[in-house]
Amino acid sequence: MVRLLGRSGAGSNRRPSGARAEGAPDGAHGAHGRRTARTPGGATARRLAHAGRPDEGRFAGLRSALTGRSVAGQVFVLQVVIVLLLVVAAVVALYLQARHDSTQEARNRSVAVAEAFANAPGTREALAGPHPTAVLQPRAEAARKATDVDFIVVMNTDGIRYTHPKPDRIGKKFVGNIAPALAGQTVTEEINGTIGRLVQAVVPIKADDGKVVGLVSAGITTANVGGAANRQLPLVLLAAAVGLALATAGTALVSRRLLRQTHGLGPHEMTRMYEHHDAVLHAVREGVLIAGDEGRLLLANDEAHRLLDLPEDAEGRHVLDLGLPADTAELLASGRMATDEVHLVKDRLLAVNQRPTDVQGGPPGSVATLRDSTELRALSGRAEAARERLNMLYDAGVGIGTSLDVTRTAQELAELAVPRFADFATVDLFDAVLDGGQPEAVTPLRRTAVGGIRKDAPLYPVGEQIRFVDSSPHARSLRSGQAVLEPDLDLAPGWHAQDLERTAQVVGYGIHSLITVPLRAGTLVLGVVSFWRSEKPEPFDADELALAEELVARAAVSIDNARRYTREHSMAVTLQRSLLPRNLPEQSALDIAYRYLPAQAGVGGDWFDVLPLSGARVALVVGDVVGHGLHAAATMGRLRTAVHNFSALDLPPDELLGLLDELVGRIDQDETAEDGSAPVTGATCLYAIYDPVSRRCSIARAGHPPPALVRPDGTVEFPEVPAGLPLGLGGLPFETADLELAEGSRLVLYTDGLVENRERDIDEGLDLLRGALERSGESPEDTCRTVLETQLPNKPSDDVALIVARTRALAAGHVAEWQVPSDPAAVGEVRASVTGRLAEWGLDELTFATELILSELVTNAIRYGADPIRVRVLLDRTLICEVFDSSSTSPHLRYAAMTDEGGRGLFLVAQLAERWGTRYTPEGKVIWAEQPLP
């Protein structure tokens, strides 16, 4: 029991409820009895008064409850206020909800009506007709009345009304925001119109190709929608008033019942009655001390006796005489405020809180509470360590594997472990892992990452190739697949056997404990991770060994993912490089420089090619397959091969793109038939043919960025070349643009990765490209370098292919051309003319073969072709003979029988010429043959 100084041993004559104990005499003396006597309005007097006058007592109790002086009165007032606030809040919320619902209903109805009218049959056709108002005004009025909206307005894209409920407003400009609707979106807005607050919606009317051809607006006033809610508001207010009255009555009944239970006691009286209750003091797990203003101990509960080991007669004595430690006794005697001050009392750490008791008019002195924090601190320390380990594992899951690079991932592991877990950390991986392959246990490891609190540790440096001896902890980890703990490296002979000189330096440096953990990904062991300790004198323990295993296990997943990505990336890059041209073919029409930059992550489907054609012409092609990875690279290879094959047919650019479009469509169909989830191939392409004789360039493109042209004077332009749809979409033909290029012009072809990325659109990229071309030098190499330095200061996020071709013109003295009449006798004249020209060029050795080739080709043209017939001889890297005629019939090489009189002409041409073939022109065909120069 708690002993209070100055109290007698007699028990209280009050029960906890405040009623007088049964059998106690009315005139009993005591503290409580005197208080009752001093308080005429106390519980006893009120109870006696109520007993004499029952009715008056009931009304007096109700009045007391309503005064708010007692607990019951305060509860009554509080509950009435709360109910009133709830009713007001409910009414306000209902009103606001009704307004919100009205506005939302107006939005929904206006949007629905506008969209229905915009998509109604005949609306779009009426807009295209000669009299839209005559057709649409009756329909709009009928729809407005049927849908109960205030107006339906049809307008053109300039906002001029075609319909309106008031005819005098037809033909005037619509009031509202129509810009989003012109962009193909639906817009709603609230405005104050002539008919009140209203909500209007504007929706676009689109043609079949998606173009906006008109607009429809529908509007409705919020008053028409929300009228029902406003009419219900009086009923709601009446219900709220009735609810408030009922709640008030119920609260009065509850307060009257509470008044009877508390006997009219006020809060202060009830607090004083329980302030020193013995049960509370003995139930708490904290020690409680009450000291007087002179430092004498007035009260100490049982927990305080146990914690401070107080003597039995401690109450009444000065706290300095209780044998407590000096700092603890001084605190309790001073009475100063203290919060969670930790004091050592014998073998316990006590947290002491102390406050004065006279803050609000109480008796002088102080009250102190004591809490044993010894076990709590131990548990807190262990919990803090566990929390730190969980945080480190979480950070490992977030911070390790941010990139798909094996070396970077290993370095992230080393940086995470230092200094939170170890003073130094090293990661050793097999060389095959760094290259994306599968590790082999017989091969040495390479130090891939090192992390440490200092840079001068005598550990193997990064890049060092290491072969661990069988007795070392690293070899044992790799062999067993389990982590190995070496608590004292100075006493680890197996570790010293690795390198006696270096291990002695490590121990001398202060590193004394080691954990080695194998990097395992399934059944593969990728390497080993080592954690070294030098600062803390304690060695690694079993808990830290388990933490190291968990940390490395998480990192191993990221390293293995990086290894797999490296392998796939290497395979894709190898495939892509094998499909791209390694050397440009020899030709004299263009001076060419090119660049190809792979993407930062993954490989793409960008490609380019330079293809020599007949007649000294050259074809340039640039293409881009959508996506990255093996699928894109393989598709690129197929398209590049197809372009090679199609170019051999000497087709115009638009026809070649048409064939390529059909091929891409077939590829999509085949892959979709095999696997319904196969991605649809998307590709763009630009194909250009340059003729150095005429200096004309024919260009066609399928969804590809336009070419850039740098004139000899340095001006830059982007020629108007019809874009066309990307390959594989089909349905529309491609168009060809013909450009006449002055000698020395630079034609720049590129893929979209050069001018477009996530940070800028293609228009900004084209402006930057224009500026780079204006500043670049005249040579194609200088142009490539300047463009890449300007456009791509960092590694690109998408593949980039760039070709710069400076045009050359075939000298007029290297071109000879003759018109041939449709007479077999003209063949001799052609032979004589060609013989003379070959003599001028110093090609007498080719005279016989050339005469024979031209005789056969001209004879065929005269016999089977049509006028006009022309012969052209070009001196380039080869001697080119061309025969033009207006017939579209192409000769075919065949083997003539012994009895056949003809059929051997083209056979002789094929034997004498290095290459020969046929190409078609809008005027007919050209049969050509090339002979190598001697």
Side-chain angles (χ1 to χ4, degrees):
M1 297 292 288
V2 175
R3 293 173 290 280
L4 299 177
L5 187 61
R7 294 267 183 110
S8 63
S12 174
N13 60 350
R14 279 183 180 263
R15 294 182 180 180
S17 64
R20 190 180 298 274
E22 293 184 2
D26 293 341
H29 297 285
H32 297 290
R34 286 194 299 273
R35 185 180 62 193
T36 303
R38 287 196 305 270
T39 309
T44 304
R46 287 194 297 272
R47 192 164 56 248
L48 292 175
H50 295 168
R53 290 176 292 179
D55 294 337
E56 184 180 351
R58 286 194 297 270
F59 290 106
L62 183 58
R63 285 196 301 273
S64 177
L66 296 175
T67 58
R69 298 174 183 173
S70 64
V71 174
Q74 294 179 3
V75 171
F76 173 78
V77 173
L78 180 62
Q79 289 183 343
V80 170
V81 170
I82 291 175
V83 171
L84 181 60
L85 291 177
L86 290 176
V87 171
V88 172
V91 173
V92 172
L94 179 62
Y95 176 73
L96 294 178
Q97 183 64 36
R99 287 193 61 184
H100 176 269
D101 291 343
S102 300
T103 303
Q104 189 62 37
E105 173 63 21
R107 287 175 178 270
N108 295 340
R109 189 185 299 180
S110 61
V111 170
V113 171
E115 289 183 344
F117 195 86
N119 297 321
T123 301
R124 187 173 57 195
E125 290 76 8
L127 285 176
H131 302 290
T133 300
V135 179
L136 295 176
Q137 175 69 5
R139 298 182 183 179
E141 286 301 294
R144 178 181 66 82
K145 296 175 182 179
T147 57
D148 199 20
V149 297
D150 290 301
F151 67 86
I152 297 177
V153 174
V154 183
M155 68 198 84
N156 61 13
T157 55
D158 294 327
I160 303 303
R161 301 187 183 101
Y162 289 145
T163 67
H164 196 277
K166 297 181 179 181
D168 59 337
R169 298 187 182 181
I170 296 175
K172 297 182 179 180
K173 193 172 182 62
F174 177 75
V175 179
N177 183 17
I178 64 173
L182 292 176
Q185 302 176 2
T186 299
V187 58
T188 60
E189 56 182 345
E190 297 184 34
I191 62 172
N192 290 318
T194 58
I195 58 176
R197 184 71 175 175
L198 57 87
V199 176
Q200 67 181 13
V202 182
V203 301
I205 303 174
K206 298 181 179 179
D208 292 337
D209 59 354
K211 180 180 178 182
V212 177
V213 298
L215 305 174
V216 176
S217 175
I220 184 172
T221 59
T222 55
N224 290 343
V225 180
N230 295 333
R231 290 191 296 271
Q232 295 175 359
L233 187 60
L235 180 61
V236 173
L237 293 177
L238 178 61
V242 173
L244 178 62
L246 294 177
T248 303
T251 302
L253 294 176
V254 172
S255 299
R256 183 177 179 182
R257 178 66 178 272
L258 182 61
L259 180 67
R260 286 200 305 269
Q261 294 293 332
T262 59
H263 298 285
L265 293 176
H268 181 64
E269 292 176 301
M270 298 182 66
T271 301
R272 286 184 57 191
M273 186 171 62
Y274 292 102
E275 62 182 354
H276 297 308
H277 199 285
D278 292 345
V280 174
L281 292 176
H282 287 291
V284 296
R285 290 292 306 274
E286 294 185 353
V288 179
L289 296 174
I290 300 178
D293 57 343
E294 298 178 354
R296 291 186 177 276
L297 184 62
L298 301 181
L299 181 145
N301 66 352
D302 291 345
E303 186 68 10
H305 275 271
R306 185 184 70 84
L307 294 177
L308 298 176
D309 196 15
L310 298 176
E312 292 293 333
D313 58 346
E315 285 85 352
R317 296 172 59 181
H318 201 283
V319 294
L320 297 177
D321 301 332
L322 299 178
L324 300 175
D327 58 339
T328 306
E330 186 276 332
L331 172 63
L332 296 176
S334 65
R336 64 179 174 84
M337 293 182 62
T339 301
D340 287 336
E341 284 193 15
V342 179
H343 291 260
L344 179 62
V345 180
K346 295 185 178 180
D347 58 346
R348 294 188 178 92
L349 288 174
L350 303 181
V352 182
N353 291 275
Q354 184 167 273
R355 296 290 185 273
T357 57
D358 57 354
V359 176
Q360 297 180 351
S366 61
V367 57
T369 59
L370 312 172
R371 185 174 66 254
D372 189 357
S373 62
T374 306
E375 296 180 357
L376 181 61
R377 283 180 173 268
L379 292 174
S380 177
R382 291 195 292 271
E384 180 65 21
R387 185 183 66 83
E388 175 61 25
R389 293 180 179 181
L390 289 176
N391 287 341
M392 185 165 63
L393 292 177
Y394 172 77
D395 292 342
V398 175
I400 298 177
T402 58
S403 67
L404 291 174
D405 182 78
V406 176
T407 302
R408 178 58 192 158
T409 305
Q411 187 63 39
E412 289 172 348
L413 170 60
E415 292 174 354
L416 178 73
V418 178
R420 300 170 66 176
F421 178 68
D423 299 320
F424 299 93
T426 58
V427 181
D428 305 317
L429 301 176
F430 291 103
D431 283 335
V433 175
L434 298 175
D435 297 331
Q438 292 193 359
E440 298 178 4
V442 296
T443 60
L445 290 93
R446 189 173 299 277
R447 179 132 300 172
T448 308
V450 174
I453 57 176
R454 292 184 296 274
K455 301 296 184 182
D456 58 345
L459 300 171
Y460 288 116
V462 173
E464 183 83 9
Q465 194 175 54
I466 309 170
R467 187 180 293 276
F468 293 106
V469 298
D470 293 340
S471 61
S472 66
H474 305 80
R476 284 184 282 154
S477 294
L478 293 171
R479 187 169 54 251
S480 64
Q482 302 295 325
V484 174
L485 169 61
E486 287 289 354
D488 191 348
L489 291 178
D490 196 19
L491 304 177
W495 175 71
H496 282 282
Q498 174 66 34
D499 186 341
L500 294 177
E501 181 179 357
R502 185 177 293 274
T503 54
Q505 293 175 356
V506 171
V507 173
Y509 187 78
I511 298 176
H512 59 84
S513 188
L514 167 67
I515 292 178
T516 62
V517 185
L519 265 166
R520 300 187 57 179
T523 59
L524 296 179
V525 178
L526 309 177
V528 64
V529 182
S530 305
F531 302 100
W532 314 78
R533 174 169 289 177
S534 63
E535 294 294 316
K536 294 177 65 175
E538 300 85 4
F540 287 114
D541 56 23
D543 291 340
E544 290 168 322
L545 179 66
L547 176 61
E549 290 178 323
E550 179 67 22
L551 181 64
V552 173
R554 298 195 177 198
V557 176
S558 298
I559 292 178
D560 188 54
N561 288 339
R563 177 189 69 86
R564 294 172 182 269
Y565 172 78
T566 301
R567 179 184 62 190
E568 294 180 2
H569 181 70
S570 300
M571 293 171 58
V573 168
T574 302
L575 173 62
Q576 185 186 40
R577 292 293 186 187
S578 66
L579 296 175
L580 289 173
R582 299 183 180 181
N583 296 304
L584 296 183
E586 295 182 355
Q587 47 83 31
S588 302
L590 297 170
D591 182 12
I592 295 178
Y594 66 92
R595 295 289 189 275
Y596 178 80
L597 298 180
Q600 185 173 6
V603 295
D606 292 15
W607 92 93
F608 64 93
D609 244 325
V610 178
L611 306 172
L613 302 178
S614 63
R617 298 171 304 136
V618 176
L620 300 176
V621 58
V622 176
D624 183 6
V625 176
V626 176
H628 293 85
L630 290 174
H631 181 270
T635 304
M636 177 268 287
R638 299 171 71 176
L639 296 182
R640 181 169 176 257
T641 303
V643 171
H644 269 265
N645 295 332
F646 293 153
S647 67
L649 301 176
D650 256 330
L651 297 174
D654 55 340
E655 294 184 19
L656 186 141
L657 290 182
L659 295 176
L660 208 60
D661 180 61
E662 294 179 4
L663 174 64
V664 174
R666 288 197 299 271
I667 291 175
D668 289 339
Q669 294 176 0
D670 295 342
E671 292 185 350
T672 304
E674 290 184 11
D675 183 2
S677 63
V680 176
T681 300
T684 64
C685 184
L686 185 147
Y687 189 82
I689 298 177
Y690 174 69
D691 187 349
V693 178
S694 63
R695 294 183 289 104
R696 299 192 65 83
C697 182
S698 299
I699 306 176
R701 61 189 179 114
H704 202 80
L709 179 61
V710 185
R711 298 290 184 181
D713 60 359
T715 59
V716 180
E717 62 179 285
F718 293 94
E720 290 293 336
V721 179
L725 295 176
L727 299 176
L729 298 182
L732 293 176
F734 299 97
E735 299 182 46
T736 299
D738 291 327
L739 308 176
E740 184 171 349
L741 306 181
E743 186 175 6
S745 301
R746 281 168 286 162
L747 188 64
V748 182
L749 309 181
Y750 52 90
T751 56
D752 60 353
L754 182 70
V755 295
E756 188 177 12
N757 56 34
R758 297 177 181 177
E759 299 176 357
R760 68 182 183 219
D761 58 16
I762 190 170
D763 292 333
E764 182 180 355
L766 291 176
D767 290 339
L768 292 175
L769 177 60
R770 182 192 299 272
L773 293 175
E774 291 174 348
R775 297 189 304 271
S776 63
E778 295 183 359
S779 70
E781 283 292 338
D782 291 341
T783 304
C784 285
R785 181 173 57 255
T786 303
V787 167
L788 293 183
E789 290 176 353
T790 303
Q791 300 287 101
L792 303 171
N794 301 317
K795 196 168 185 181
S797 58
D798 192 10
D799 288 15
V800 173
L802 172 65
I803 298 180
V804 178
R806 184 171 59 187
T807 61
R808 298 172 180 170
L810 194 61
H814 288 193
V815 180
E817 187 171 2
W818 300 275
Q819 293 289 338
V820 180
S822 183
D823 183 1
V827 177
E829 297 177 3
V830 171
R831 285 199 302 266
S833 300
V834 171
T835 301
R837 183 55 59 95
L838 292 180
E840 294 177 7
W841 289 342
L843 300 177
D844 295 327
E845 298 180 17
L846 301 179
T847 301
F848 175 75
T850 305
E851 288 181 349
L852 185 56
I853 290 173
L854 287 177
S855 296
E856 294 298 333
L857 296 182
V858 172
T859 300
N860 281 341
I862 294 173
R863 180 176 299 178
Y864 304 109
D867 289 333
I869 300 173
R870 291 184 295 115
V871 173
R872 187 172 72 170
V873 180
L874 306 177
L875 177 59
D876 191 38
R877 305 180 69 88
T878 60
L879 181 65
I880 305 170
C881 299
E882 297 178 336
V883 177
F884 300 77
D885 70 81
S886 58
S887 171
S888 60
T889 303
S890 175
H892 296 282
L893 179 66
R894 64 188 181 88
Y895 291 96
M898 294 295 294
T899 57
D900 291 342
E901 295 182 359
R904 298 175 180 83
L906 287 181
F907 179 78
L908 293 175
V909 172
Q911 297 300 314
L912 295 173
E914 184 179 44
R915 293 194 311 153
W916 76 280
T918 304
R919 71 173 181 269
Y920 293 92
T921 66
E923 296 81 14
K925 69 176 181 297
V926 179
I927 303 176
W928 54 270
E930 292 184 4
Q931 301 176 71
L933 298 180

